[in-house]
């Protein structure tokens, strides 16, 4: 037998010189490239030059004895929105020493080492947060889902011995309501001063005399006060319900355990997807209020500034406050009204596509798609856990012990099977009668 008979394909893969021909590498087919996005801009370049003082009317007296009020704000992407959120709390009177930004970008210490750039979705200006705003930045060891972040908050509360803590969204703006006056004293109180009042009320013995408390909602959970003990007592957040429906699961289980979950109002909390052009406005600098002209607002999907209004007696509100409030009102409506913004409320999560070649680079569109897949899977977990979706678990008679045990009721047996059973029973009864008749004939 010839060698060529054993290896018949050898001739096809070799040249006349006897050297193997190079294999042809397949060319992968790429999806169409996404359209280019306009580069984002730093919304507070003034901060690095000279940070303005917090509006004096939102600053508590220097001799005020303050309790712990740790505020946790998690960041994953979109630095301008995070910066806007942090600055809004600072200008509303929240002490910088009590604000903790959680860098959940999944880039390890890249932001701390200044290795990412502004067009990278996961960029965060670590230096400005810590050295200029004087807030604390903590890094997660890896990218965490929403539910995992909430459990990380509980972990921090244990490590720092916080019996309670506040947490807020990175796409929110906190604004002191300058039309507010205290019902008892008639004096103005900032958002942070009202937070302290609500905290004192919540921690009082009378508030928990009948039922222990778990959470206080300020504009739902855009800002929330959490009891560490309550959350731990029900096992924390379900890590498999990654994003949407995780709050339904947690809050329903707290309600099943008979915890109080009350609303409170401390000011105005906005839910935004866009940023002010210049965050100096939050410091209430009147010169910069003129930048909010009709043309600039319309370009950003916003609307015109309001006309002057008459403030309630005793309040601090002036035209500057009303102009800022009107702008933020319009920005909130732009995000949450589908008729105005048919693209949806989460467009802020996909406003950057840069970062190629930087540490931990991840395709921005792929990241969004992967998050959505994880979200959908988490909702399926919720539906399997409670035999259906929706937040009204108690309305369906469910209790904590029913988790993963409840399921659909058995379907009734098909009619054909019932008919066969009936015929078999009739035959059996007939045979029994026949046997009894034969026994009577035979006698004893």
């Amino acid at each position: 037998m010839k060698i060529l008979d054993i290896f018949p394909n050898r001739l096809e893969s070799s040249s006349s010189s006897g050297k193997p021909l190079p294999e042809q590498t397949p060319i992968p087919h790429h999806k169409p490239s996404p359209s280019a996005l306009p580069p984002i801009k730093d919304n507070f370049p003034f901060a690095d030059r000279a940070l303005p003082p917090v509006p004096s009317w939102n600053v508590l007296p220097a001799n005020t004895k303050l309790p712990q009020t740790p505020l946790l704000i998690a960041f994953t992407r979109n630095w301008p929105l995070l910066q806007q959120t942090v600055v809004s709390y600072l200008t509303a009177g929240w002490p910088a020493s009590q604000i903790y930004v959680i860098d959940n970008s999944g880039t390890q210490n890249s932001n701390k080492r200044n290795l990412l750039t502004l067009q990278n979705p996961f960029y965060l200006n670590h230096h400005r947060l810590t050295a200029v705003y004087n807030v604390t930045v903590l890094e997660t060891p890896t990218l965490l889902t929403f539910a995992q972040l909430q459990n990380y908050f509980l972990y921090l509360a244990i490590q720092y011995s916080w019996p309670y803590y506040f947490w807020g969204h990175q796409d929110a703006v906190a604004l002191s309501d300058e039309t507010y006056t205290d019902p008892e004293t008639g004096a103005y109180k900032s958002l942070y001063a009202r937070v302290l009042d609500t905290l004192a009320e919540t921690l009082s013995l009378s508030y928990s005399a009948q039922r222990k408390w778990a959470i206080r909602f300020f504009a739902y959970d855009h800002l929330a006060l959490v009891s560490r003990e309550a959350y731990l007592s029900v096992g924390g957040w379900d890590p498999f319900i990654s994003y949407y429906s995780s709050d339904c699961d947690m809050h329903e289980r707290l309600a099943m355990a008979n915890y109080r979950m009350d609303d409170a109002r401390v000011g105005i909390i906005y839910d935004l997807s866009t940023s002010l052009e210049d965050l100096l406005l939050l410091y209430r600098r009147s010169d910069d209020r003129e930048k909010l002209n009709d043309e600039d607002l319309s370009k950003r999907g916003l609307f015109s500034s309001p006309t002057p209004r008459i403030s309630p007696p005793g309040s601090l509100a002036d035209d500057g406050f009303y102009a800022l409030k009107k702008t933020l009102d319009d920005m909130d409506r732009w995000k949450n009204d589908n008729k105005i913004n048919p693209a949806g409320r989460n467009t802020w999560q996909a406003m950057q596509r840069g970062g190629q070649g930087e540490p931990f680079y991840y395709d921005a569109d792929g990241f969004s798609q992967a998050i959505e897949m994880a979200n959908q899977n988490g909702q399926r977990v919720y539906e399997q856990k409670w035999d259906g979706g929706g937040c009204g678990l108690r309305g369906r008679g469910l209790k904590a012990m029913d988790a993963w045990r409840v399921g659909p009721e058995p379907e009734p047996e098909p009619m054909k099977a019932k008919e066969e059973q009936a015929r078999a029973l009739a035959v059996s009864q007939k045979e029994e009668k026949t046997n009894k008749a034969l026994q009577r004939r035979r006698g004893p």
Side-chain angles (χ1 to χ4, degrees), residues 72 151-165 228-229 231-232:
L72 309 179
N151 284 331
Y152 180 65
F153 292 170
L154 289 171
Y155 168 81
L156 292 176
I158 295 171
Q159 298 302 309
Y160 285 92
S161 300
W162 297 329
Y164 57 84
Y165 58 89
R228 183 190 71 191
E229 173 191 353
Y231 275 51
L232 292 176

Side-chain angles (χ1 to χ4, degrees), residues 53-70:
V54 171
S56 58
W57 52 92
N58 288 337
V59 179
L60 294 175
N63 59 351
T64 304
K65 187 176 181 180
L66 299 178
Q68 282 190 325
T69 52

